[in-house]
Amino acid sequence: MLVLVTGGAGFIGSHIATALAKDGHGVRVLDALLPAAHTVPPDIAPDVDFVRADVRDPAAVEEALRGVDAVCHQAAMVGLGKDFGDAPDYVSCNDLGTAVLLAAMARGTVRRLVLAGSMVVYGEGRYDCARHGTVRPGPRHVADLDAGRFEPRCPHCGEPLDPGYVDEDAPVDPRNVYATTKLAQEHLAAAWARATDGTAVSLRYHNVYGPGMPRDTPYAGVAALFRSALARGESPRVFEDGGQRRDFVHVRDVAAANVAALGSVAAPGVLRAYNVGSGTPHTVGEMATALAARHGGPAPVVTGEYRLGDVRHITASSRRIRDELGWSATIGFAEGMAEFASAPLRGAS
């Protein structure tokens, strides 16, 4: 089938386009090549039908959808951002862009959507208290973070908590602007599916890393920030105490999840969400140490700094996508970090 990949010239989107082509699909890419994500022109494969346009442009989107059988919607403004002043840009790029795309799909005949979701919709992950069972800690407080008290406590007794795995049925609790827009994208996709009897899948990506990550941008993920620092000969700066738990999943595994989702037999008229992670959590400090060691240094520096919109621990179960779509990650942490330590970054000279 012919698949439209919005944001298909970006980090994850370009890997998805490659994976789709290898799987025998036709690929059309729509990308605005915004400077925040593309400091240098990307390499577009000659067999890819490339449309330079913004997903917020209704006429361009409608034209890009001609003859298309399915859409992988990756176009988005990513990362935590610099401050709340970024909110209008996030809402415009992520939510208005999704609404324009879905409206054009509703007017046409495309009825299959794979959405780039995110684990950030959960907020903090799952926690268990020895006395009170599964609990959800409240928002983090500046006074605690300033004092170096990074671990959430039980909201009932104040005792330490044991972090666990979140499944797709857990309550959502977005705790920053980016997370809020990613949840809104899912709600829009669910509304589109109901209105059109379309098939919608949201892949809730964990911390994606790998070759082609953008270099030296404040909107990049932590893996790109660490790798950029190493490329400059600087130590990766690890926030808090480095003990934040995350699930680092390789971009080629994420691309494979998109291919699997396109073949999903999910029921029409509803949105089906899947966590996409490696299944093996590591701390941010462990990731920085592994990356620096394989790059040849310098060693990371733990700063104690923090970003209020960050969460402490978020790792999720990917059992549903394994059971229903037959997908599981194939690139382990050590192997992936060894490759990433010397892999080219987007925008690097």
Side-chain angles (χ1 to χ4, degrees):
M1 57 182 161
L2 177 59
V3 183
L4 175 66
V5 184
T6 69
F11 165 48
I12 298 176
S14 61
H15 283 273
I16 292 171
T18 298
L20 288 169
K22 287 183 178 179
D23 202 54
H25 299 290
V27 179
R28 180 176 296 155
V29 164
L30 183 146
D31 201 300
L33 302 183
L34 297 177
H38 301 277
T39 56
V40 297
D43 293 324
I44 306 296
D47 56 343
V48 169
D49 181 11
F50 178 66
V51 179
R52 182 170 184 174
D54 197 305
V55 74
R56 292 167 289 187
D57 181 341
V61 170
E62 193 151 343
E63 181 62 28
L65 286 169
R66 292 188 186 277
V68 165
D69 301 297
V71 174
C72 281
H73 182 33
Q74 308 297 310
M77 186 174 176
V78 301
L80 185 57
K82 293 178 286 187
D83 53 45
F84 199 84
D86 289 326
D89 289 334
Y90 274 103
V91 172
S92 178
C93 289
N94 299 357
D95 298 337
L96 176 59
T98 299
V100 169
L101 171 67
L102 294 175
M105 292 171 65
R107 290 191 297 270
T109 60
V110 184
R111 293 294 179 266
R112 182 169 289 272
L113 171 73
V114 177
L115 173 68
S118 175
M119 54 80 186
V120 295
V121 301
Y122 298 118
E124 288 284 354
R126 172 185 171 135
Y127 294 89
D128 292 308
C129 172
R131 290 176 56 189
H132 296 97
T134 301
V135 297
R136 293 188 64 81
R140 305 172 87 187
H141 299 292
V142 170
D144 288 333
L145 298 173
D146 283 343
R149 295 189 293 268
F150 302 120
E151 292 290 346
R153 297 278 177 161
C154 176
H156 306 294
C157 65
E159 290 299 308
L161 297 172
D162 183 28
Y165 293 89
V166 178
D167 64 28
E168 292 87 349
D169 295 323
V172 291
D173 183 22
R175 296 197 172 188
N176 56 60
V177 171
Y178 171 63
T180 302
T181 65
K182 296 307 289 183
L183 182 57
Q185 284 184 305
E186 288 196 357
H187 288 318
L188 287 166
W192 167 83
R194 285 192 296 270
T196 65
D197 206 31
T199 299
V201 170
S202 178
L203 299 179
R204 292 174 175 170
Y205 303 156
H206 279 255
N207 289 72
V208 186
Y209 73 96
M213 289 197 85
R215 176 177 178 173
D216 295 331
T217 166
Y219 300 98
V222 65
L225 295 175
F226 289 171
R227 179 66 179 79
S228 296
L230 289 167
R232 296 190 303 268
E234 300 172 2
S235 295
R237 295 178 60 81
V238 180
F239 279 15
E240 302 185 16
D241 59 1
Q244 311 93 301
R245 283 163 49 105
R246 297 291 187 270
D247 187 328
F248 299 99
V249 58
H250 196 280
V251 66
R252 288 197 296 272
D253 281 328
V254 170
N258 276 266
V259 175
L262 280 173
S264 164
V265 292
V270 296
L271 179 138
R272 187 68 166 163
Y274 295 99
N275 293 326
V276 178
S278 72
T280 306
H282 290 271
T283 68
V284 171
E286 287 172 343
M287 189 268 284
T289 299
L291 200 56
R294 295 309 298 254
H295 189 270
V301 174
V302 178
T303 69
E305 298 172 271
Y306 63 85
R307 298 187 300 181
L308 189 59
D310 274 338
V311 297
R312 179 62 176 176
H313 304 298
I314 174 64
T315 58
S317 168
S318 296
R319 177 179 295 179
R320 177 186 287 181
I321 191 171
R322 183 189 65 210
D323 292 348
E324 295 186 8
L325 302 186
W327 175 91
S328 59
T330 62
I331 301 174
F333 179 79
E335 175 191 356
M337 289 298 162
E339 177 200 25
F340 184 47
S342 59
L345 297 178
R346 184 177 300 267
S349 57

